[in-house]
Amino acid sequence: MKLRFQADWDLNGDIIAGVLRREPAIDFQTAFAAGLSGVPDPEVLAFSATAGRLLVTHDRRSMPLHFGSFVATRASRGVLVVPQDMPVREAIEDLILIWACSDAQEWVNVIDYLPL
């Protein structure tokens, strides 16, 4: 099954726009479209899991902690943490590469960090 991405509210919109501009076939839902404005991390993780989407976030501080608690009780479609200071172009290229070369099942209950 192909990966589907879910942007966390804090994710730089230029990354989403760049991914979709370079590869329009990617299913990358914005936090706005999902109604995730102001939603606490555990609920964002639950939404992403229910929707079958890999969560893409800049939140290196609290999301990993919430992820650990979440997967202790329920399966996740995974989390990918993009550093705030990572160049947008590199983030775009890494996300497209991940989408092209991996399957959604490979990300179940996985948290990983860019760059690759």
Side-chain angles (χ1 to χ4, degrees):
M1 178 192 304
K2 210 61 178 152
L3 276 176
R4 297 181 323 138
F5 295 120
Q6 174 61 58
D8 197 1
W9 188 255
D10 67 349
L11 188 67
N12 182 338
D14 291 343
I15 294 172
I16 302 164
V19 166
L20 294 173
R21 188 171 25 257
R22 291 252 328 266
E23 185 53 67
I26 294 178
D27 185 343
F28 203 146
Q29 181 168 255
T30 65
F32 180 78
L36 297 177
S37 174
V39 174
D41 289 349
E43 292 177 36
V44 171
L45 288 164
F47 175 86
S48 296
T50 300
R53 293 178 176 276
L54 174 72
L55 181 64
V56 184
T57 184
H58 284 306
D59 185 356
R60 296 169 61 160
R61 199 181 91 244
S62 65
M63 191 58 79
L65 176 64
H66 291 294
F67 178 79
S69 298
F70 185 84
V71 297
T73 61
R74 166 168 188 202
S76 166
R77 284 301 191 180
V79 173
L80 190 58
V81 181
V82 180
Q84 288 272 0
D85 60 352
M86 184 176 194
V88 170
R89 181 182 176 133
E90 284 182 39
I92 291 167
E93 290 172 2
D94 282 359
L95 287 168
I96 292 171
L97 182 62
I98 288 167
W99 176 81
C101 297
S102 63
D103 186 81
Q105 282 301 112
E106 296 174 56
W107 289 92
V108 173
N109 294 337
V110 171
I111 186 168
D112 208 345
Y113 300 80
L114 293 183
L116 295 176

